[in-house]
Amino acid sequence: MRPGSRSRTALLRRIVDAPGDVARAGAEEFARVAREAVKERGKFAVALAGGSTPRGLYQLLAVDPGLRGSVPWTHTHLFWSDERHVPSDHPDSNYRMVEEALLQSGLVPAANVHRIRAGQIEPDQIAADYEAELIRWFGLGRGEFPRFDLVLLGLGADGHTASLFPGTTALQETDRIVVATWVEHLRAQRITFTFPTLDHARRVVFLVSGAAKAETVAALFGSPETSSYPAGRVRPSDGEVLWILDRAAAAAIPA
Ligand code: 6PG
């Protein structure tokens, strides 16, 4: 679907009290979608969000007896919707965050972990290699996009999601599955899913907590059709978007 075009995707939202509740609601959604996907299709393909918000979700999946026991881990395949251009042991690495929060539990078979191999080689090659892995794993033909059962996303105060930042050329990408993108204000390279990839998901779940996001959330929900924020342009044509927000992040949503 053209970036910027609008499907009538339902924007579902669940408002919970605190950041810990965002993690729990997100983890319960992860487990529910995982069971449904494996029951219907024999496997669960999920793209993980980076940043700090989802860490608690990943930790809960690893340590909560009810949750860790309810996810079909042997049929669960983890991907990343974006990555910083740093080695996997770097403090900023989204892979390292998930490794510490979830992978060290040993629940996920190593063959089911499909990380973006950032840091060592050129970003464009990293993006091309990840794209090739997605094409192979999903068995995609020319011009096709992977259809994830679940994509977890965060929200920046500037309205970015994954590493689709305002003012970057990645926002205009309609053919590639994954691209490398220079983010000027961060003076950093990122590797990110493109809008078409996000828009092919069965289910997208945004995880947002904290007052710092309240104004951005209010704009996204106040005028979803006009929002220029990248996060507002994630509109799966055949999928659902669920926003899990804590009260602080949802405080300014217009009545
Ligand atoms: C990243 C994420 C990014 C993140 C938002 C929110 O690699 O940083 O993909 O999109 O989700 O920046 O980050 P916080 O959860 O840390 O607020």
Side-chain angles (χ1 to χ4, degrees):
M1 185 174 70
R2 248 180 340 94
S5 62
R6 300 275 179 224
S7 72
R8 287 281 166 214
T9 311
L11 286 186
L12 309 172
R13 67 177 181 232
R14 187 177 308 156
I15 299 174
V16 295
D17 283 335
D21 302 309
V22 171
R24 174 155 297 277
E28 288 169 354
E29 184 69 6
F30 181 108
R32 183 188 69 76
V33 176
R35 291 193 299 274
E36 180 184 272
V38 171
K39 182 180 171 194
E40 291 177 7
R41 292 178 292 279
K43 58 186 176 182
F44 171 49
V46 54
L48 302 178
S52 57
T53 302
R55 181 191 291 269
L57 183 160
Y58 305 140
Q59 288 170 331
L60 267 180
L61 288 171
V63 304
D64 181 284
L67 285 166
R68 63 180 282 152
S70 70
V71 175
W73 293 109
T74 54
H75 301 287
T76 293
H77 287 260
L78 306 180
F79 298 82
W80 276 254
S81 50
D82 75 321
E83 186 55 280
R84 291 82 180 277
H85 183 41
V86 295
S88 59
D89 59 357
H90 190 282
D92 290 348
S93 164
N94 287 334
Y95 169 79
R96 173 173 161 174
M97 183 268 286
V98 175
E99 183 183 46
E100 291 169 349
L102 174 58
L103 300 184
Q104 284 175 358
S105 68
L107 288 167
V108 186
N112 294 19
V113 177
H114 309 269
R115 71 179 177 86
I116 299 172
R117 297 187 180 283
Q120 287 82 4
I121 57 176
E122 285 307 303
D124 285 336
Q125 188 58 55
I126 295 165
D129 291 351
Y130 202 54
E131 196 167 59
E133 180 167 359
L134 289 167
I135 288 169
R136 179 191 58 73
W137 195 86
F138 282 90
L140 302 179
R142 187 171 179 73
E144 293 184 327
F145 289 89
R147 185 160 167 75
F148 282 91
D149 298 299
L150 177 63
V151 174
L152 297 177
L153 292 173
L155 174 72
D158 63 356
H160 82 262
T161 193
S163 285
L164 294 167
F165 285 83
T168 58
T169 54
L171 303 184
Q172 275 69 50
E173 181 57 52
T174 57
D175 300 323
R176 299 286 304 279
I177 298 170
V178 184
V179 292
T181 178
W182 172 255
V183 185
E184 182 59 31
H185 73 281
L186 298 176
R187 305 289 298 156
Q189 287 279 7
R190 294 283 190 98
I191 294 89
T192 185
F193 280 6
T194 59
F195 279 123
T197 301
L198 299 178
D199 285 348
H200 274 74
R202 286 188 172 82
R203 193 153 179 83
V204 173
V205 173
F206 282 91
L207 304 157
V208 189
S209 64
K213 315 285 178 74
E215 188 180 329
T216 310
V217 167
L220 284 164
F221 277 89
S223 53
E225 295 312 302
T226 58
S227 166
S228 60
Y229 288 137
R233 290 174 50 183
V234 177
R235 293 295 174 95
S237 50
D238 181 15
E240 286 192 327
V241 178
L242 168 65
W243 289 75
I244 301 177
L245 308 151
D246 69 4
R247 290 207 181 288
I253 295 178

